[in-house]
């Protein structure tokens, strides 16, 4: 999935056991409804993209400094 958004709303919630839940709602992309990113303190992450035209898709990985 590849898209660019410059107009979006987001919400960051701290998790009880550490880490964060980040919800992003693009306002200028027709196909993407919402992007949910869950990040743990150790750097592992899960990304779920909800689209209007297909089933939700999920990715798992590790966030590292470039």
């Amino acid at each position: 999935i590849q898209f660019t958004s410059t107009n979006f709303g987001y919400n960051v919630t701290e998790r009880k056991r550490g880490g964060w839940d980040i919800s992003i709602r693009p306002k200028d992309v027709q196909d993407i409804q919402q992007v949910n990113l869950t990040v743990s303190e150790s750097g592992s992450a899960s990304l779920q993209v909800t689209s209007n035209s297909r089933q939700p898709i999920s990715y798992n990985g590790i966030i590292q400094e470039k």
Side-chain angles (χ1 to χ4, degrees):
I1 294 177
Q2 193 170 20
F3 67 93
T4 301
S5 176
T6 57
N7 184 11
F8 55 89
Y10 70 95
N11 185 34
V12 179
T13 306
E14 195 164 339
R15 302 179 81 195
K16 290 181 182 178
R17 295 185 179 193
W20 303 268
D21 288 325
I22 304 163
S23 175
I24 304 166
R25 289 186 169 269
K27 298 176 184 175
D28 57 353
V29 178
Q30 294 283 331
D31 190 40
I32 306 298
Q33 277 186 341
Q34 187 168 343
V35 178
N36 292 314
L37 178 63
T38 301
V39 181
S40 72
E41 288 183 331
S42 66
S44 63
S46 172
L47 178 73
Q48 182 180 41
V49 181
T50 305
S51 171
N52 291 325
S53 62
R54 23 179 128 163
Q55 295 289 327
I57 187 166
S58 296
Y59 301 94
N60 294 309
I62 297 173
I63 296 177
Q64 295 179 334
E65 186 176 347
K66 223 176 180 184

